[in-house]
Amino acid sequence: MKVPNRRGYFGKFGGRFVPETLIPLLYDLEKAYLKVKKDPSFWKEWQYLLKEYAGRPTPLYYAQNLSSYFGRKIKIYLKREDLLHTGAHKINNTIGQVLLAKRMGKNRIIAETGAGQHGVATATACALLGLKCVVYMGAKDTERQKLNVFRMKLLGAEVVPVYSGTQTLKDAINEALRDWVTNVSSTLYVIGSVVGPHPYPMVVRDFQSIIGIEIKKQILKKEGRLPDLVLACVGGGSNAMGTFYPFRQDLQVRLIGVEAAGVGLHTDHHSATLAVGEPGVLHGMLTYLLQDKVGQIKGAHSIAPGLDYPGVGPEHAYFKDSGRAEYVSVTDEEALEAFQLLSEKEGIIPALESAHAIAYLIKIAKDLPKDTIVVITLSGRGDKDVSSVREYIEGN
Amino acid sequence: MKKNASLIKKAINTIKSKGEVAVIPYICCWDPDLETTEAILWELAEVEPACIELGFPFSDPVADGPTIQKAIVRALEHQPTFEAYFDFISRLNQKGFPHPIVCMTYYNIIYRFGLGNTVEHALKSGLAGFIIPDLPIEEAQPWIKANQNSGLATIFLATPTSSKERIQKIVKHTKGFLYYVSITGITGARDSLPEDLAYRLKTTKNLCGSNLPLAVGFGISKREQIKLLSPYTDAFIIGSAIVKIIEEKGKNSPKEIKTFLKNLKNL
Ligand SMILES: Cc1ncc(COP(=O)(O)O)c(C=O)c1O
């Protein structure tokens, strides 16, 4: 069965639960996207920019030191999205959506950002392609991520702090949606993950699928077979879906998404939506959410700012229920250990988000059979996290 | 009398036949506390509203502007449950509250409570219907089905971006009144409304036919606006302008809100 269906559903998840004002825009966006999807000139332009400007294809690096650290005959490969321009996978999607906006004749882009990675990637694409860019960011996040705010401003974007609700990512998305409801004709909302109303989860998935498509080609060349295990961290779920989607029909490949358990799943301070969330409707989609008994959305927590979201992409909810992917979680502590381990063993400082995927491998490595081939998507680099990790380590 | 969609229609017709303006005030339940909410409701009853929109707060109100967002934050401090909301409606009706009340809330609250459960509680408590701003007709099939024989007002919204064909579809599923959103935007009082609003209301009214009243909302706060638009709509929804008074006067707002609405109605 092909997902999403015509109504934007992945099994029972997805849909477009937004105010009426936006519905005609979502139809326009869907129509415009389905049109460019069949247009080779669009993909040529996208591929050209990703190659010459952003640095694709990214290497699939055999992490020999890390592999032998586990003292067993497993082979660990890292998909190096951290080497991309702006330091994370986010640029695959923003260049795609901003190109799409241009073809739709929009001259103004809005985006939400939590940590600032998607904001920076959107501001970058807008600078490159000459569109006006406004980024909504929770007021708490603008405080925590001052450098990224400055980066976005350098790139010519306007950064609007959001003071409503919990003043974090989820409220930034609300505010972006409110802006879009108000400026419907000039503006396209460039969403940062496989979340939101249809067609966004599909559009973002398709742009990010370049990750998994490359992995497949590269691993076949290096190993002559597909990997046994594929790991990626899950915030909204875009790097994980981009990694998983091309493998969805290769049932011998185990797909594992790693969420943030924060301080622990027994507390209220985590972002493990798929592990302990329940179905509900937020940001235009029906999916698993962190919410209370009444249906109020809870704040999320993770040491990794990009994982700090109380919802998750509807296709992950579908993969969870259908069993196609497994979803697990690791704590802040475990992610920090992995952050340090990868830095020491391989000379690669990973983003704290990506460190979650490494951390889960550390947990299960001893149980993996001989000759297991593991691919981990390293969604971003850790430069942005160095100072907060330092504070954390010195604070303890 | 049973509180439902047809009662709202009747109320609007009665008010109009007297040559008065039909208003639909909005307040958020528990803003700033339940006592004040009840006091406001009884004052509102005296201005003879067509019905009252009583919000149940949701943490992520994407269709609302800053004024109503703040009201929702004040209300959420009481950690209200949906059961408590229905209990409150029951008590009001037992005391003989004379006007229909509709609940405005976001879909997750209803989804979480259960659609059938929500309808059952609404009927038991004497709530007249629901406005769910993030439930477009595309997603409304389960909700419409749950209301097949309920008689409750299933109030959908039409906006300036809705095509004629869409409005026709929306009208088919709408009971009580059609909620026409005056602007492309979020809730909040505005000094000026779009110039083509009267024309849009006129064409929308035609699409509603004689059976479904039309109400216009978002940005309505002034007598001049009402005077200008009265020929083209059956009722006016007034939210942020009232909520602003609650924000400023808190427990002392009830009387002031009544005065405000009386002035507004008095053309
Ligand atoms: C480096 C990195 N990895 C992962 C994520 C999480 O997003 P997603 O789950 O959509 O890949 C982010 C989000 O900001 C990020 O910056």
Side-chain angles (χ1 to χ4, degrees):
Chain A
M1 195 179 60
K2 223 176 121 144
V3 290
N5 68 12
R6 282 186 42 215
R7 297 179 49 237
Y9 276 82
F10 304 86
K12 61 182 235 209
F13 301 103
R16 43 194 153 201
F17 296 84
V18 293
E20 168 67 17
T21 311
L22 290 182
I23 292 284
L25 273 94
L26 291 174
Y27 282 122
D28 285 352
L29 176 62
E30 186 182 359
K31 221 167 93 193
Y33 176 67
L34 293 177
K35 194 170 150 214
V36 302
K37 200 172 170 176
K38 286 183 290 193
D39 179 353
S41 76
F42 177 83
W43 295 103
K44 221 172 131 188
E45 194 175 358
W46 180 68
Q47 274 163 354
Y48 172 82
L49 290 176
L50 284 185
K51 175 163 179 269
E52 302 290 332
Y53 180 75
R56 296 215 78 90
T58 57
L60 183 69
Y61 164 69
Y62 172 44
Q64 193 166 7
N65 299 341
L66 188 67
S67 300
S68 53
Y69 167 79
F70 292 116
R72 307 174 44 87
K73 290 227 163 65
I74 63 172
K75 282 182 126 176
I76 301 165
Y77 284 89
L78 302 177
K79 180 59 175 166
R80 299 290 309 274
E81 296 298 293
D82 60 313
L83 294 176
L84 282 173
H85 183 40
T86 72
H89 66 294
K90 301 281 177 188
I91 192 102
N92 302 328
N93 170 46
T94 58
I95 288 185
Q97 283 196 57
V98 174
L99 280 176
L100 180 58
K102 272 195 102 154
R103 297 220 172 186
M104 292 175 74
K106 307 283 183 185
N107 56 30
R108 178 174 177 270
I109 294 296
I110 54 172
E112 85 293 343
T113 197
Q117 291 304 106
H118 174 60
V120 168
T122 308
T124 300
C126 287
L128 174 70
L129 296 164
L131 276 80
K132 184 172 159 38
C133 179
V134 177
V135 180
Y136 289 95
M137 189 169 184
K140 276 193 190 147
D141 291 330
T142 57
E143 271 306 302
R144 286 190 286 207
Q145 308 286 338
K146 283 194 182 125
L147 262 182
N148 268 344
V149 174
F150 184 63
R151 244 175 224 133
M152 288 183 267
K153 287 184 180 164
L154 273 179
L155 292 161
E158 180 190 344
V159 180
V160 182
V162 176
Y163 292 95
S164 58
T166 56
Q167 308 190 1
T168 60
L169 177 60
K170 82 173 173 71
D171 310 285
I173 296 179
N174 291 338
E175 208 53 37
L177 285 168
R178 291 181 187 118
D179 177 314
W180 204 24
V181 169
T182 309
N183 300 295
V184 282
S185 58
S186 65
T187 298
L188 186 72
Y189 179 17
V190 169
I191 221 164
S193 192
V194 285
V195 300
H198 180 64
Y200 282 109
M202 169 180 78
V203 170
V204 178
R205 173 196 76 194
D206 289 355
F207 287 136
Q208 291 294 3
S209 287
I210 188 74
I211 303 174
I213 292 169
E214 284 179 7
I215 292 174
K216 230 170 160 171
K217 257 194 227 149
Q218 291 166 317
I219 199 78
L220 284 175
K221 201 157 166 208
K222 285 176 203 275
E223 293 288 343
R225 70 176 179 93
L226 293 180
D228 301 294
L229 203 59
V230 173
L231 289 161
C233 66
V234 177
S238 67
N239 88 85
M241 191 47 70
T243 302
F244 294 173
Y245 188 70
F247 288 102
R248 71 195 179 285
Q249 282 162 340
D250 305 307
L251 298 182
Q252 73 274 31
V253 181
R254 261 179 88 189
L255 307 173
I256 303 183
V258 186
E259 294 188 302
V263 180
L265 293 188
H266 58 288
T267 70
D268 253 351
H269 304 283
H270 62 75
S271 308
T273 313
L274 288 163
V276 299
E278 288 180 71
V281 173
L282 178 71
H283 297 149
M285 59 181 166
L286 174 54
T287 186
Y288 284 94
L289 302 175
L290 299 180
Q291 54 181 325
D292 69 12
K293 279 209 176 82
V294 180
Q296 310 296 355
I297 307 305
K298 287 189 188 174
H301 162 85
S302 169
I303 190 169
L307 301 184
D308 191 339
Y309 180 60
V312 66
E315 194 160 12
H316 284 293
Y318 172 65
F319 275 10
K320 176 192 154 92
D321 280 17
S322 71
R324 180 59 195 99
E326 302 156 53
Y327 295 90
V328 297
S329 57
V330 302
T331 62
D332 288 349
E333 290 282 344
E334 291 166 330
L336 269 171
E337 274 169 41
F339 180 90
Q340 286 168 293
L341 182 72
L342 193 69
S343 304
E344 283 166 22
K345 294 294 166 206
E346 294 288 352
I348 297 171
I349 302 178
L352 276 172
E353 292 80 8
S354 323
H356 281 71
I358 310 279
Y360 189 68
L361 178 66
I362 297 176
K363 277 174 108 160
I364 59 164
K366 65 178 190 315
D367 301 321
L368 293 174
K370 196 163 157 280
D371 297 328
T372 301
I373 296 175
V374 182
V375 173
I376 302 179
T377 294
L378 209 63
S379 55
R381 68 177 86 123
D383 306 29
K384 68 185 179 60
D385 300 313
V386 169
S387 72
S388 67
V389 169
R390 179 175 150 219
E391 273 169 35
Y392 196 93
I393 293 172
E394 290 178 353
N396 280 355
Chain B
M1 187 189 313
K2 221 170 145 192
K3 303 251 171 112
N4 54 22
S6 34
L7 184 65
I8 299 174
K9 202 170 87 184
K10 225 171 121 192
I12 290 176
N13 288 337
T14 311
I15 295 166
K16 281 185 68 184
S17 68
K18 287 195 268 184
E20 288 178 14
V21 178
V23 293
I24 302 174
Y26 164 92
I27 59 171
C28 182
C29 202
W30 281 278
D31 171 27
D33 55 48
L34 200 55
E35 253 179 19
T36 311
T37 297
E38 180 163 359
I40 296 170
L41 288 171
W42 287 107
E43 294 293 335
L44 286 177
E46 292 184 20
V47 299
E48 251 202 86
C51 80
I52 292 167
E53 243 188 79
L54 185 62
F56 182 83
F58 175 56
S59 54
D60 294 77
V62 287
D64 286 304
T67 304
I68 293 179
Q69 285 175 37
K70 280 188 256 170
I72 287 171
V73 169
R74 293 192 292 272
L76 283 174
E77 275 171 25
H78 301 277
Q79 301 189 319
T81 65
F82 217 20
E83 283 98 341
Y85 178 89
F86 290 116
D87 286 347
F88 176 62
I89 301 286
S90 287
R91 288 201 304 278
L92 277 172
N93 282 324
Q94 277 158 18
K95 292 183 198 168
F97 193 78
H99 302 289
I101 296 176
V102 297
C103 174
M104 135 95 201
T105 194
Y106 288 80
Y107 192 52
N108 196 46
I109 300 292
I110 290 170
Y111 183 84
R112 188 93 171 129
F113 200 65
L115 274 53
N117 200 24
T118 301
V119 170
E120 214 173 281
H121 276 71
L123 289 173
K124 240 197 254 160
S125 65
L127 189 76
F130 290 88
I131 302 170
I132 312 166
D134 61 342
L135 189 71
I137 47 169
E138 272 76 2
E139 302 294 347
Q141 265 320 311
W143 178 237
I144 291 162
K145 219 166 143 197
N147 277 288
Q148 222 159 26
N149 299 310
S150 73
L152 294 175
T154 48
I155 296 159
F156 289 94
L157 295 88
T159 72
T161 61
S162 319
S163 63
K164 188 177 153 204
E165 290 71 31
R166 275 192 73 76
I167 295 180
Q168 278 167 333
K169 268 192 217 160
I170 293 168
V171 163
K172 259 196 218 145
H173 298 298
T174 303
K175 290 190 186 129
F177 61 85
L178 179 70
Y179 191 140
Y180 192 83
V181 176
S182 65
I183 41 146
T184 56
I186 51 181
T187 59
R190 284 169 177 77
D191 284 334
S192 67
L193 292 169
E195 273 177 19
D196 58 353
L197 180 56
Y199 172 75
R200 288 179 183 281
L201 288 173
K202 203 169 152 185
T203 49
T204 307
K205 181 69 203 153
N206 274 338
L207 297 172
C208 284
S210 55
N211 245 333
L212 184 68
L214 173 67
V216 62
F218 283 40
I220 312 282
S221 63
K222 290 189 161 58
R223 251 161 81 176
E224 303 83 78
Q225 294 169 332
I226 291 180
K227 208 164 180 172
L228 190 75
L229 297 172
S230 270
Y232 311 107
T233 184
D234 300 307
F236 293 88
I237 299 156
I238 298 154
S240 296
I242 295 175
V243 172
K244 195 91 199 163
I245 300 176
I246 303 176
E247 180 183 328
E248 282 161 11
K249 299 281 150 80
K251 282 178 171 305
N252 298 322
S253 58
K255 287 256 176 326
E256 196 137 336
I257 290 170
K258 181 169 75 182
T259 313
F260 168 75
L261 279 176
K262 277 210 155 141
N263 279 332
L264 210 58
K265 277 186 72 163
N266 196 357
L267 297 183

